[in-house]
Amino acid sequence: MKYLIVILALFIFNTVTAQDQLFIGLYTKKESGKSYWCSDMVMEKKIVKSDAEAFQAKKEFLAAHSNESPIAKIAKNSHIILYEFQKPMLGFGCSVKVISWKELDNRSKGNIRTLINNENQRIQKEYKSSIKEIFDWQYTGNTLEDFSSKVDGIEFTLKVAKNETTGLITTLAVIKNPLKDKSAQFIFILDGVPDKKPHIIQPNSTSQINLGKSTSIGVKLQLIPAGAVPEQSYVDWIKEKIRLDIIQNRNKQNTGNTPIWGVRG
C-alpha cells in the first residue's frame, strides 16, 4: 500500500510575505468648458499586496496622469479615511471638489474620529463647507494567500490568513476528489503532530476543513476503493512517528516564497 506525504514548505513563517496596502491616486481632471482651476479632483484606489506592487502602481499612475497634478499615496499598517469637500476658488468664480485624507498609524493611541472632526471644523470655518467621507480603510494585520497542488488526482487548496503582528497562521483546507472510483483518505500533520482522526473524501466530492493555527502543515494521503472504511493497518499508520524532515528542518532549507510539495513513498 502506497502512502504519500505532501510537505507544504509555504507554511514557514517568513515565506508568507503578502501585506495588504491601499494605493490612492488623486489628480485634477480638466473638464470641457471649465478652466483648469475650476476642475474637480478625481480619485483612483486599489488594494496592493506588497511594496513592489505598490511601487509599480504608483509609477504607472504618475506616468498616466503626469499633466494632471497627480498625487500618489500608499497607506500601510494604518487607518485612513478619505473625504471630499467643496473649496471656493477666489478670483475664478467657481468651487471645486477637493479630495484629501486623515491617517493614523495602527500603533498610535490616537482616535481618527477626532482628526476627522477637527478637520471638518477647520473646513467649515475656512471654506464654509463640510467634509463628506468617501472611503474608510484600515489594515487589519491579516493577509490572505491561496496555495494549490494536486497529488494523485486529489486537489488540495489552502486558504491561508496570517496575522503579521503575532505571526499566527489560520488555514482553511479545501480538498476536492474528482476521481470516480477512489476515495481520498488522509490525515493532516500540524506542526509535526498527526491529526487525531483520518478524513475521507468520497469520489466526486469536495470538503472544507478548518485547520486552525499552525506554523507548518503536511498531509499523508492514501487512495482507497470507494466506500471502503479505514483498515487497522491505516489506524496503526496514523499512530506511527511520522518523520517530517523538511518541516522540522524548515529553517535550514527552502527560504523562497514558492510552495514546495515533496512526495515520499
Side-chain angles (χ1 to χ4, degrees):
M1 186 173 294
K2 180 182 178 183
Y3 299 117
L4 302 177
I5 293 182
V6 183
I7 307 301
L8 290 79
L10 58 92
F11 284 91
I12 301 173
F13 281 96
N14 55 13
T15 64
V16 185
T17 56
Q19 182 181 47
D20 284 355
Q21 302 176 40
L22 176 66
F23 168 78
I24 304 161
L26 305 175
Y27 63 96
T28 301
K29 185 175 181 61
K30 177 70 168 63
E31 299 178 56
S32 178
K34 286 187 178 183
S35 161
Y36 171 82
W37 302 104
C38 291
S39 298
D40 291 338
M41 293 185 74
V42 178
M43 178 177 69
E44 296 179 3
K45 64 183 186 302
K46 68 176 181 177
I47 301 296
V48 294
K49 294 288 187 179
S50 66
D51 290 338
E53 191 177 340
F55 175 81
Q56 186 64 28
K58 179 179 179 180
K59 179 181 177 181
E60 293 175 356
F61 173 81
L62 293 177
H65 302 285
S66 58
N67 297 320
E68 299 172 299
S69 302
I71 301 172
K73 165 69 178 173
I74 303 294
K76 178 179 179 179
N77 193 31
S78 64
H79 186 182
I80 187 169
I81 294 179
L82 290 105
Y83 57 88
E84 63 182 44
F85 63 93
Q86 292 294 317
K87 177 181 178 181
M89 300 298 290
L90 300 179
F92 294 94
C94 63
S95 63
V96 298
K97 179 174 70 176
V98 175
I99 300 174
S100 189
W101 65 83
K102 287 297 178 183
E103 183 178 17
L104 195 65
D105 189 281
N106 278 349
R107 294 166 294 186
S108 171
K109 295 182 180 180
N111 189 321
I112 198 168
R113 300 310 318 178
T114 299
L115 299 181
I116 290 293
N117 291 337
N118 291 343
E119 179 69 356
N120 193 39
Q121 292 176 14
R122 183 187 72 82
I123 289 173
Q124 288 176 341
K125 182 178 180 180
E126 293 186 20
Y127 304 121
K128 303 298 188 276
S129 181
S130 295
I131 67 174
K132 176 185 176 183
E133 295 180 22
I134 54 177
F135 193 69
D136 187 331
W137 181 85
Q138 184 171 14
Y139 174 64
T140 63
N142 291 326
T143 62
L144 186 65
E145 295 282 348
D146 286 0
F147 300 100
S148 299
S149 189
K150 183 182 290 187
V151 180
D152 278 6
I154 307 302
E155 300 171 13
F156 291 87
T157 298
L158 303 169
K159 298 180 179 295
V160 187
K162 177 180 178 182
N163 187 293
E164 298 292 344
T165 302
T166 65
L168 293 177
I169 297 173
T170 302
T171 307
L172 177 67
V174 180
I175 305 94
K176 181 179 180 180
N177 179 7
L179 304 180
K180 297 180 179 180
D181 58 351
K182 297 287 185 181
S183 294
Q185 181 175 248
F186 57 90
I187 58 169
F188 285 106
I189 301 95
L190 308 179
D191 292 331
V193 180
D195 202 358
K196 294 181 179 180
K197 63 178 181 179
H199 303 279
I200 298 179
I201 309 297
Q202 300 298 336
N204 296 314
S205 298
T206 300
S207 180
Q208 294 187 2
I209 301 172
N210 190 332
L211 301 180
K213 300 174 180 178
S214 61
T215 60
S216 61
I217 292 177
V219 63
K220 195 168 185 180
L221 170 69
Q222 174 190 14
L223 296 181
I224 60 176
V229 297
E231 302 172 3
Q232 183 60 40
S233 59
Y234 180 75
V235 176
D236 294 339
W237 165 64
I238 294 174
K239 296 179 180 179
E240 289 177 358
K241 182 178 185 298
I242 299 175
R243 297 175 58 243
L244 296 176
D245 297 330
I246 296 180
I247 287 180
Q248 292 169 355
N249 298 323
R250 57 186 181 275
N251 293 325
K252 299 179 182 179
Q253 300 191 42
N254 306 285
T255 57
N257 295 332
T258 304
I260 298 177
W261 299 77
V263 179
R264 294 188 286 177

